[in-house]
Amino acid sequence: MYFGSDNQTGASEQVLKALVEANTGICASYGEDQWTAAAVKAVQTTFECDCEVFFVASGTAANCLALSSMVQPWEVIVCHSQAHILVDESTAPEFFTGGARLLSIADGESRITPEHFSALLATQSQHVPHNPLLGVLSLTQANEAGQVYSPEEVATLASLAHQRGMRVHMDGARFANALASLGCSAAELTWKAGVDVLCLGASKNGCLSAEMVIFFDKSLAQGFVHRRKRTGHLLSKGRLFGAQVVAWLKDLHWLTLAAQANKHAQVLASALQNTPGVRLAWKVEANEIFALLPSQLAEELEAAGAVFYDWGLSALPAGQRCGANQRFVRLVTSFATTDEDVQRFCDLLARG
Amino acid sequence: MYFGSDNQTGASEQVLKALVEANTGICASYGEDQWTAAAVKAVQTTFECDCEVFFVASGTAANCLALSSMVQPWEVIVCHSQAHILVDESTAPEFFTGGARLLSIADGESRITPEHFSALLATQSQHVPHNPLLGVLSLTQANEAGQVYSPEEVATLASLAHQRGMRVHMDGARFANALASLGCSAAELTWKAGVDVLCLGASKNGCLSAEMVIFFDKSLAQGFVHRRKRTGHLLSKGRLFGAQVVAWLKDLHWLTLAAQANKHAQVLASALQNTPGVRLAWKVEANEIFALLPSQLAEELEAAGAVFYDWGLSALPAGQRCGANQRFVRLVTSFATTDEDVQRFCDLLARG
Amino acid sequence: MYFGSDNQTGASEQVLKALVEANTGICASYGEDQWTAAAVKAVQTTFECDCEVFFVASGTAANCLALSSMVQPWEVIVCHSQAHILVDESTAPEFFTGGARLLSIADGESRITPEHFSALLATQSQHVPHNPLLGVLSLTQANEAGQVYSPEEVATLASLAHQRGMRVHMDGARFANALASLGCSAAELTWKAGVDVLCLGASKNGCLSAEMVIFFDKSLAQGFVHRRKRTGHLLSKGRLFGAQVVAWLKDLHWLTLAAQANKHAQVLASALQNTPGVRLAWKVEANEIFALLPSQLAEELEAAGAVFYDWGLSALPAGQRCGANQRFVRLVTSFATTDEDVQRFCDLLARG
Amino acid sequence: MYFGSDNQTGASEQVLKALVEANTGICASYGEDQWTAAAVKAVQTTFECDCEVFFVASGTAANCLALSSMVQPWEVIVCHSQAHILVDESTAPEFFTGGARLLSIADGESRITPEHFSALLATQSQHVPHNPLLGVLSLTQANEAGQVYSPEEVATLASLAHQRGMRVHMDGARFANALASLGCSAAELTWKAGVDVLCLGASKNGCLSAEMVIFFDKSLAQGFVHRRKRTGHLLSKGRLFGAQVVAWLKDLHWLTLAAQANKHAQVLASALQNTPGVRLAWKVEANEIFALLPSQLAEELEAAGAVFYDWGLSALPAGQRCGANQRFVRLVTSFATTDEDVQRFCDLLARG
């Protein structure tokens, strides 16, 4: 019963097969190969636009390379107080951007609302050159609370940002889960809603290692090839990313995988919600579940083989607290989560 | 009636005179001169210890060079939410430190208390290598609310920091005002209380341009000469700083100047407090006054020639707000503030 | 007839098979998995010592992360004038190290000799803090001319470096080829000869993407986990590197692959040397061949399907020049080079 | 007999007087004062154009802030092999630019010639993204050999640079000496000849501390206020620089001072040239003299009270060497050099 994280699996069968097939033959290195070209094309088709696409090996690299292309080092990046770029990427954003600053809002909330963001815009002093300037709004999709921003929400926030000359970044480590949840098109959830740059993650959803930086605003991509090279993120063998991404996007494989993870999350969420003493921190909309559990229950589940992690208390909803006999935990499903594991976990809960 | 800032004056007569006298003669450059040596000696005598002392031209340079010597780029610097290093130095801290992060606490309060700091230490996740590590505690003296930390307060906070392996930085842009207010010794307020590095400002209190980085923990000074050089902060003519600092410290001149500024601030604070409709944001303990004024009164004062600045609303005490007909302002006194200006301002208030 | 580069192949069969096998199952992420642990163990066994081992995806990342652990930003890294870190990694070394400087020597020579290095040490001004300080000596193995440093040569150079307080870095992108060429042990060619940190490349010799940073001086590894994370080089799925490296080192597979490449290079070198009008720039000792070819011959070879690249003229041996009807080219063999391709190329040369 | 450096004096009388006069009164801080405004105006008038002008405290700060505005971090700055930015500013250029690289040419020559520069442009590989790109040409005026570039020379080099999309920086720490030597206008020697950004030094020629960054290409100045602030180079009291610069430029004071230094250098150079066994390394054209002296003579001069410094042997003209009984030394004159000192030194030489 593995609900620890969606990055603890291997690749999907389809993706692995593609990788094996691409292993044969000689081709140009450093991304000049046919697999890379095909993958770029596949991304453009998926997003229905002529975007610039680059592949890197980690989500941190994708996010921080993207941000470094979008921000001056004397600007701030506004993000959620639990954003991965703030909480889980060491000081990589500062390193890549040459010292830009993260500014967090919406503490204790599941999402950045127009109200949060407008309040910040209204009060943030911009006395040149003493104060850092507003640079980028970064949204996470699916977000820090395991929920999704609708295209309309994204559009409203992006519009506020653009009105102030800011650019809009989307951390899409779990973008596929959001898209599968919302049912709209990839274009509607991104550039049509005002997203300038999307970091699209595949490593958590079917690939071994493949992350994409997708520039809808192509002017921001200027210099990216140099940035990627001088941060050590240009791999010599482009087929590694190219083959994975082509297979991942083919026949909506990425959405099939994500939908499966989301479905399992819903089942788990229902079961948890119906369990006395358990409280979901947030309504589950993608593949992550945040819940307060009686400690005893949590321990019994773990004793029975369930794997999930305690989560930082700073991520609790405003006003909620984790009592002495409670644990605040996160469960994550992935494409590799099995019906059996889910069923067994629900049975354990029902047995209480 | 100038209460805009304490950096809008020239040098004190005594300091200027020393500068003029030091202008004559040939001497070694880049800090190898006799004036620099004498200034180092004067600082050591003043602080009663064998500290390492370096001179630079700006407070931002002093603070950020100090911090870069105290922190790894994957660590955080904990500071007050209105700290100058956070609010008024652009992203200089990030630049100098190679991308370390500022983490602010005590929002809406006049000072960092052991409770604030302990709460942070208790909740700050330290999952290696995902989370930035705790690196430095930075205190401002006199602080962001125009108040002072007692030696005991400094010692308690420094002790908490050291227990967690953190180092303690003090931004002493107005250290002289704090010292004059407290009446203790410079040593008691710094190294005896656990401060590892003090940035001592003279530019706001009698010098044209002279800031000191004082390492009480001399091991942290390793490499400082290289840091200062490669940031462009080693001046060729050491006499500029050396002469000023010697004169500034001589015969307690620095404290005399600071005491004068503090005294004027007390007079202004009393008058404001006794004025109907005026509310002091914080008790005045040094040379800065933060107050909520009826807008009409503020405008009348300005019309009569008073100069003071509106202050960022984010600096308001927790729970207070600035009403539609109010203004949140800061008044600052300096050694150059005149009895006449203070008296005239008080008369205007009395006339109401 | 592919002699373009040794990074234009896929993985070896044995390595690919391991990758496929490791794809199954759930395991901890971010390098806490059993494949990573096994790979670290395999490296330690191979090098007969208790070294610190880290895996990253690119040679540039390996080199620059290693260098950033070895150098202060006010120091220089001494390297060959054709070193990959100087010529082919954009300004990655400067980026990772926070602005340390590369200083090149041995221009026009196949290798750094003790004479070159001693001359530099004797003349390099070290006036503190004006001059950058001597920090690291970086050697490439196999080197920039396709030759190898013997353990004795490495030891002499390393000893000179250590005497001056410098640390010794080895760029081993083709270390396996050097080792196969020399026939000594991995330990003898590295830590026993004074190498402090080795960057061991597998991507050019049988892996899809796997580079190792191996700290023989473990004190230099302090902070490396933070450096790797904040540069985006900690991958979530450790099995990617772990599985490859275990298979690559198993049963001397890495040396078998390298020896095969070297052998083919020798055959090509002989044939070229016996071809009228052709001149080898340097004696061939590993898997790279640098040669001056009559332009007509080069074009005939290309027309017949041979792939090789023109090389920068700045890499020519001192005193040699590339005439109007000549081309300066590099040929590289790899484990995937076939007997047939080599034979066909030799036949073409013989046919002249 | 002080010929050690031109930064070992105080300010000229006229400059000091202005500083004292400007000490009185309250004014806006951070460069918003009337002295700063007047100084900007004076520079614009002197250079006969509507340039952007910024003041900083050190030559290193001026050079490196300028360069950081002109170069991407994946580009190179081409400079002379003895350039101050390469040899004497630690790794400040790398720090300020976020890791751009210095590339030196014209080793052993007194100046960068169009031939040197063209040769570099012809051979420098620009394989994207592997090689750093050509970014800036930096010229020193007066140059590293104490000589001057004529407006025509500057124009030819600048034109070559601009044709390749490079920008042109001039390190004018001794620009006044060059201008006094050439007798042309400040405009002719800079923007009319294609210089994009000039760093104009006053600290070596009459000021205590005042350096200017002058953008003739104003588009490059975008963001400069942020760069200056976040490097700690925005001083609170603008009068310090403003008052000095106004006085320095007034009535051609700066050129009077420089001409005086140059004149004394000519006298010394003549005397040295006529002394048996002495060899001038380069024809003297400004206020620096580089010479090979018999060691015994050098010691006698020093014993008699002459101060000058041994110079790095790497600065010797190509083909010359410093024999066992020789010393390679530099003598510098300044506005403060006295007729008496020069006469005494010449007498000592004549006495031989």
Side-chain angles (χ1 to χ4, degrees):
Chain A
M1 290 180 291
Y2 291 102
F3 311 115
S5 183
D6 39 4
N7 59 22
Q8 304 187 335
T9 71
S12 78
E13 265 184 58
Q14 179 167 323
V15 168
L16 185 67
K17 191 156 163 284
L19 199 54
V20 171
E21 287 170 4
N23 193 62
T24 310
I26 302 290
C27 67
S29 46
Y30 295 113
E32 304 292 318
D33 60 286
Q34 66 269 38
W35 289 279
T36 299
V40 168
K41 189 90 191 148
V43 172
Q44 289 170 334
T45 302
T46 299
F47 282 86
E48 305 171 57
C49 73
D50 177 34
C51 44
E52 291 259 16
V53 185
F54 302 93
F55 305 102
V56 294
S58 80
T60 296
N63 278 331
C64 295
L65 277 167
L67 291 172
S68 73
S69 302
M70 303 173 74
V71 77
Q72 293 288 352
W74 48 83
E75 294 180 337
V76 297
I77 298 155
V78 178
C79 65
H80 190 274
S81 70
Q82 294 295 320
H84 200 268
I85 57 171
L86 180 70
V87 174
D88 285 311
E89 302 188 355
S90 185
T91 49
E94 287 87 348
F95 181 62
F96 279 77
T97 62
R101 184 178 294 169
L102 298 171
L103 185 61
S104 73
I105 58 175
D107 196 17
E109 307 294 328
S110 72
R111 68 191 53 236
I112 296 173
T113 64
E115 289 69 35
H116 293 132
F117 188 41
S118 295
L120 177 82
L121 295 176
T123 60
Q124 186 72 1
S125 179
Q126 295 283 275
H127 186 205
V128 170
H130 305 278
N131 308 138
L133 301 184
L134 293 163
V136 166
L137 171 66
S138 177
L139 300 172
T140 307
Q141 183 76 303
N143 71 24
E144 292 78 6
Q147 298 193 336
V148 297
Y149 290 99
S150 70
E152 294 72 29
E153 284 176 288
V154 174
T156 304
L157 289 165
S159 170
L160 285 170
H162 288 148
Q163 280 164 33
R164 287 292 290 266
M166 299 174 74
R167 291 117 269 155
V168 180
H169 167 257
M170 182 168 274
D171 175 352
R174 294 187 177 96
F175 182 82
N177 299 94
L179 198 59
S181 175
L182 285 160
C184 61
S185 76
E188 285 163 352
L189 201 48
T190 54
W191 61 273
K192 288 188 178 173
V195 172
D196 296 310
V197 184
L198 170 69
C199 293
L200 175 56
S203 306
K204 283 184 158 71
N205 182 39
C207 288
L208 266 178
S209 166
E211 305 285 319
M212 285 146 264
V213 184
I214 306 176
F215 286 89
F216 301 116
D217 179 344
K218 293 170 73 167
S219 72
L220 295 171
Q222 208 183 3
F224 192 88
V225 293
H226 300 287
R227 293 185 192 280
R228 183 176 53 177
K229 177 65 188 174
R230 75 194 295 268
T231 58
H233 287 291
L234 175 62
L235 296 206
S236 57
K237 302 191 172 177
R239 69 182 85 194
L240 174 61
F241 298 143
Q244 288 183 88
V245 168
V246 168
W248 188 65
L249 290 176
K250 199 180 173 190
D251 301 332
L252 303 181
H253 182 52
W254 64 313
L255 294 180
T256 306
L257 297 175
Q260 203 168 335
N262 287 358
K263 190 195 65 184
H264 280 139
Q266 287 300 330
V267 176
L268 291 173
S270 286
L272 284 163
Q273 201 149 21
N274 295 327
T275 305
V278 172
R279 179 172 188 176
L280 291 186
W282 316 101
K283 181 161 172 288
V284 174
E285 299 181 354
N287 67 323
E288 290 185 294
I289 300 153
F290 298 89
L292 282 162
L293 264 62
S295 300
Q296 199 185 327
L297 173 60
E299 278 156 32
E300 286 168 10
L301 291 165
E302 288 174 332
V307 175
F308 48 81
Y309 297 137
D310 288 284
W311 207 241
L313 298 183
S314 57
L316 273 171
Q320 286 195 26
R321 48 186 298 283
C322 185
N325 297 315
Q326 284 183 302
R327 280 169 56 188
F328 181 47
V329 304
R330 184 190 73 159
L331 292 88
V332 192
T333 57
S334 80
F335 76 92
T337 302
T338 62
D339 289 342
E340 292 70 33
D341 272 5
V342 171
Q343 190 55 52
R344 238 186 98 205
F345 190 86
C346 294
D347 290 350
L348 286 168
L349 287 177
R351 204 172 311 153
Chain B
M1 292 179 289
Y2 291 102
F3 310 116
S5 182
D6 40 2
N7 58 23
Q8 303 186 335
T9 71
S12 78
E13 265 183 57
Q14 178 166 326
V15 168
L16 184 68
K17 190 156 163 283
L19 200 54
V20 170
E21 286 170 3
N23 192 62
T24 309
I26 302 291
C27 67
S29 45
Y30 296 114
E32 304 293 318
D33 59 287
Q34 66 269 36
W35 289 279
T36 300
V40 168
K41 190 86 190 152
V43 173
Q44 290 169 334
T45 303
T46 299
F47 283 85
E48 304 171 56
C49 74
D50 177 35
C51 44
E52 291 259 15
V53 185
F54 303 93
F55 305 101
V56 294
S58 80
T60 296
N63 278 330
C64 296
L65 276 167
L67 291 171
S68 73
S69 302
M70 302 173 75
V71 76
Q72 292 289 351
W74 48 82
E75 292 180 339
V76 297
I77 298 155
V78 178
C79 65
H80 190 274
S81 69
Q82 294 295 320
H84 200 269
I85 57 172
L86 181 70
V87 173
D88 285 310
E89 302 189 354
S90 184
T91 50
E94 288 86 348
F95 181 62
F96 279 77
T97 62
R101 184 178 294 171
L102 298 173
L103 185 61
S104 73
I105 58 175
D107 196 17
E109 306 295 330
S110 72
R111 67 190 56 234
I112 296 174
T113 63
E115 290 69 36
H116 292 134
F117 188 41
S118 295
L120 176 84
L121 295 176
T123 60
Q124 187 71 0
S125 180
Q126 295 284 276
H127 186 206
V128 171
H130 305 278
N131 309 139
L133 301 185
L134 293 163
V136 166
L137 170 66
S138 177
L139 300 173
T140 306
Q141 183 76 307
N143 72 23
E144 294 77 7
Q147 296 192 339
V148 297
Y149 289 100
S150 71
E152 294 72 30
E153 286 177 286
V154 174
T156 304
L157 290 165
S159 171
L160 285 169
H162 287 149
Q163 280 164 34
R164 288 292 289 268
M166 300 173 73
R167 290 118 269 152
V168 179
H169 167 257
M170 182 169 277
D171 175 353
R174 295 187 177 94
F175 182 81
N177 300 94
L179 199 59
S181 174
L182 285 159
C184 62
S185 78
E188 283 163 354
L189 200 48
T190 56
W191 61 274
K192 288 189 176 171
V195 172
D196 296 311
V197 184
L198 169 70
C199 294
L200 174 57
S203 306
K204 284 184 160 69
N205 182 38
C207 289
L208 267 179
S209 166
E211 305 284 317
M212 286 145 263
V213 184
I214 305 175
F215 287 90
F216 302 115
D217 180 343
K218 292 170 76 167
S219 72
L220 296 170
Q222 207 182 6
F224 192 89
V225 293
H226 300 288
R227 294 185 190 279
R228 182 176 54 176
K229 176 67 188 173
R230 74 194 294 268
T231 58
H233 286 291
L234 176 61
L235 296 207
S236 56
K237 302 190 173 178
R239 68 181 88 193
L240 174 61
F241 297 144
Q244 288 184 88
V245 168
V246 167
W248 189 65
L249 291 175
K250 199 178 172 192
D251 301 331
L252 303 181
H253 182 52
W254 64 312
L255 295 180
T256 305
L257 296 176
Q260 203 170 336
N262 289 358
K263 189 196 65 183
H264 280 139
Q266 286 301 330
V267 176
L268 290 174
S270 285
L272 284 163
Q273 204 149 17
N274 294 328
T275 306
V278 172
R279 181 172 186 176
L280 292 185
W282 316 100
K283 179 161 172 288
V284 174
E285 298 180 356
N287 66 322
E288 290 185 295
I289 300 154
F290 299 90
L292 283 162
L293 263 62
S295 299
Q296 199 185 327
L297 172 60
E299 279 155 34
E300 286 168 9
L301 291 165
E302 289 175 331
V307 176
F308 48 80
Y309 297 137
D310 288 284
W311 206 241
L313 299 183
S314 58
L316 274 171
Q320 287 195 23
R321 47 186 299 280
C322 185
N325 297 316
Q326 281 183 304
R327 280 169 58 190
F328 181 47
V329 304
R330 185 190 72 160
L331 292 88
V332 191
T333 56
S334 80
F335 76 91
T337 302
T338 61
D339 289 340
E340 291 70 34
D341 274 4
V342 171
Q343 190 55 52
R344 238 185 98 204
F345 191 85
C346 293
D347 289 349
L348 286 168
L349 287 177
R351 203 171 312 154
Chain C
M1 291 179 292
Y2 291 101
F3 310 115
S5 183
D6 38 5
N7 58 22
Q8 303 187 335
T9 72
S12 78
E13 266 184 58
Q14 178 166 323
V15 168
L16 185 68
K17 189 155 165 284
L19 199 54
V20 170
E21 286 170 3
N23 193 62
T24 309
I26 302 290
C27 67
S29 47
Y30 295 112
E32 304 294 317
D33 61 285
Q34 65 270 35
W35 290 278
T36 299
V40 168
K41 191 90 190 148
V43 172
Q44 290 170 334
T45 304
T46 300
F47 282 85
E48 305 171 56
C49 73
D50 178 33
C51 43
E52 291 259 15
V53 185
F54 303 93
F55 305 101
V56 293
S58 79
T60 296
N63 279 331
C64 295
L65 276 167
L67 292 172
S68 73
S69 303
M70 303 172 75
V71 77
Q72 293 289 353
W74 48 83
E75 292 180 339
V76 297
I77 299 155
V78 178
C79 65
H80 190 274
S81 69
Q82 294 296 319
H84 200 269
I85 56 171
L86 180 71
V87 173
D88 284 311
E89 302 188 355
S90 184
T91 49
E94 286 88 348
F95 181 62
F96 279 76
T97 61
R101 184 177 295 169
L102 298 172
L103 185 61
S104 73
I105 57 175
D107 196 18
E109 307 294 329
S110 72
R111 68 190 54 235
I112 295 173
T113 63
E115 289 70 35
H116 293 132
F117 188 41
S118 295
L120 176 82
L121 295 176
T123 61
Q124 187 72 359
S125 179
Q126 296 283 274
H127 186 205
V128 170
H130 305 278
N131 309 138
L133 301 185
L134 293 163
V136 167
L137 170 66
S138 177
L139 300 173
T140 307
Q141 180 77 302
N143 71 24
E144 294 78 6
Q147 298 193 337
V148 296
Y149 290 99
S150 70
E152 295 72 28
E153 284 177 290
V154 174
T156 304
L157 289 164
S159 171
L160 285 169
H162 287 148
Q163 281 164 32
R164 288 292 289 266
M166 299 174 73
R167 292 117 267 154
V168 179
H169 167 257
M170 182 169 274
D171 176 353
R174 296 187 177 95
F175 181 82
N177 299 94
L179 198 59
S181 174
L182 285 159
C184 62
S185 76
E188 284 163 353
L189 200 49
T190 54
W191 61 274
K192 289 188 176 173
V195 172
D196 296 310
V197 184
L198 169 70
C199 294
L200 174 57
S203 306
K204 285 183 156 72
N205 182 39
C207 289
L208 265 179
S209 166
E211 305 284 318
M212 286 145 264
V213 183
I214 306 174
F215 286 89
F216 301 115
D217 179 343
K218 292 170 74 167
S219 72
L220 295 171
Q222 207 184 4
F224 192 89
V225 294
H226 301 287
R227 294 184 191 279
R228 183 176 54 176
K229 177 65 188 172
R230 73 194 295 269
T231 58
H233 286 291
L234 175 62
L235 296 206
S236 58
K237 302 191 172 177
R239 67 182 86 194
L240 175 61
F241 299 143
Q244 290 183 87
V245 167
V246 168
W248 187 65
L249 290 176
K250 201 180 171 191
D251 301 332
L252 304 181
H253 182 52
W254 64 313
L255 294 181
T256 307
L257 297 175
Q260 205 169 331
N262 288 358
K263 188 197 67 184
H264 280 139
Q266 286 301 330
V267 177
L268 290 173
S270 286
L272 283 164
Q273 202 148 19
N274 295 327
T275 306
V278 172
R279 179 172 186 176
L280 292 185
W282 317 100
K283 179 159 173 288
V284 174
E285 299 180 355
N287 67 323
E288 290 185 294
I289 299 153
F290 299 90
L292 282 161
L293 263 64
S295 299
Q296 199 185 326
L297 173 60
E299 278 155 33
E300 286 167 11
L301 291 164
E302 288 176 333
V307 175
F308 48 80
Y309 298 136
D310 289 283
W311 207 240
L313 299 183
S314 58
L316 273 171
Q320 286 195 26
R321 46 187 299 283
C322 185
N325 297 316
Q326 282 183 303
R327 280 170 57 190
F328 182 48
V329 303
R330 184 191 72 161
L331 292 87
V332 191
T333 57
S334 81
F335 76 92
T337 302
T338 61
D339 289 341
E340 292 70 33
D341 273 5
V342 170
Q343 190 54 54
R344 239 186 98 206
F345 190 85
C346 293
D347 291 348
L348 284 168
L349 286 178
R351 204 174 311 153
Chain D
M1 291 180 289
Y2 291 102
F3 310 115
S5 183
D6 38 5
N7 58 22
Q8 303 186 335
T9 72
S12 78
E13 265 183 58
Q14 177 165 325
V15 168
L16 184 68
K17 190 157 163 283
L19 200 54
V20 171
E21 286 170 3
N23 193 61
T24 308
I26 302 291
C27 66
S29 47
Y30 295 115
E32 305 291 319
D33 59 286
Q34 65 269 36
W35 289 279
T36 299
V40 168
K41 190 88 191 149
V43 173
Q44 290 169 335
T45 303
T46 299
F47 283 85
E48 303 171 56
C49 73
D50 178 35
C51 44
E52 291 259 15
V53 185
F54 302 94
F55 305 101
V56 293
S58 79
T60 296
N63 278 330
C64 295
L65 276 168
L67 291 171
S68 74
S69 301
M70 304 173 74
V71 77
Q72 293 288 352
W74 48 83
E75 293 180 338
V76 297
I77 298 155
V78 178
C79 66
H80 189 275
S81 69
Q82 293 296 320
H84 200 268
I85 57 172
L86 180 71
V87 173
D88 284 311
E89 302 188 354
S90 183
T91 50
E94 288 87 349
F95 181 62
F96 279 77
T97 62
R101 184 177 294 169
L102 297 172
L103 185 61
S104 73
I105 57 174
D107 196 17
E109 307 294 330
S110 71
R111 67 190 55 233
I112 296 174
T113 64
E115 290 68 36
H116 294 133
F117 188 40
S118 295
L120 176 84
L121 294 176
T123 59
Q124 185 72 359
S125 180
Q126 295 285 275
H127 187 205
V128 171
H130 305 278
N131 308 137
L133 301 185
L134 293 163
V136 166
L137 171 65
S138 177
L139 300 173
T140 307
Q141 182 76 306
N143 72 22
E144 292 79 6
Q147 297 192 338
V148 296
Y149 289 99
S150 71
E152 295 71 30
E153 285 177 288
V154 174
T156 304
L157 289 165
S159 171
L160 285 169
H162 288 149
Q163 281 164 34
R164 287 294 289 268
M166 300 173 74
R167 290 118 270 151
V168 179
H169 167 257
M170 182 169 276
D171 175 353
R174 294 188 177 95
F175 182 81
N177 300 95
L179 198 58
S181 175
L182 285 160
C184 60
S185 76
E188 283 164 354
L189 200 49
T190 55
W191 60 274
K192 289 189 176 172
V195 172
D196 296 312
V197 184
L198 169 70
C199 294
L200 175 56
S203 306
K204 284 183 159 71
N205 182 40
C207 289
L208 265 179
S209 165
E211 305 284 317
M212 287 145 262
V213 183
I214 305 175
F215 286 90
F216 301 114
D217 180 343
K218 292 171 74 168
S219 72
L220 295 170
Q222 208 182 5
F224 191 89
V225 294
H226 300 288
R227 293 184 191 281
R228 183 178 51 177
K229 177 66 188 173
R230 75 194 294 267
T231 57
H233 287 290
L234 176 62
L235 295 207
S236 57
K237 303 192 173 176
R239 69 183 85 194
L240 174 61
F241 298 144
Q244 288 184 87
V245 168
V246 167
W248 189 65
L249 290 176
K250 199 178 171 191
D251 300 332
L252 304 181
H253 183 52
W254 64 312
L255 295 180
T256 305
L257 297 175
Q260 204 168 336
N262 289 358
K263 188 195 66 183
H264 280 139
Q266 287 301 331
V267 176
L268 291 174
S270 286
L272 284 163
Q273 203 149 16
N274 293 329
T275 305
V278 173
R279 180 171 185 177
L280 292 185
W282 316 101
K283 179 159 170 289
V284 174
E285 298 180 355
N287 67 322
E288 289 185 294
I289 300 154
F290 298 91
L292 283 162
L293 263 63
S295 298
Q296 198 186 328
L297 174 60
E299 279 155 33
E300 285 168 10
L301 291 165
E302 289 175 331
V307 176
F308 48 80
Y309 297 136
D310 288 282
W311 207 241
L313 299 183
S314 58
L316 273 172
Q320 288 195 22
R321 46 186 300 281
C322 185
N325 297 316
Q326 281 184 304
R327 281 169 58 189
F328 181 47
V329 304
R330 184 190 72 159
L331 292 87
V332 191
T333 56
S334 80
F335 77 90
T337 302
T338 60
D339 289 341
E340 292 69 33
D341 273 4
V342 171
Q343 190 55 50
R344 237 186 98 205
F345 191 84
C346 293
D347 290 349
L348 286 168
L349 287 177
R351 206 172 310 153

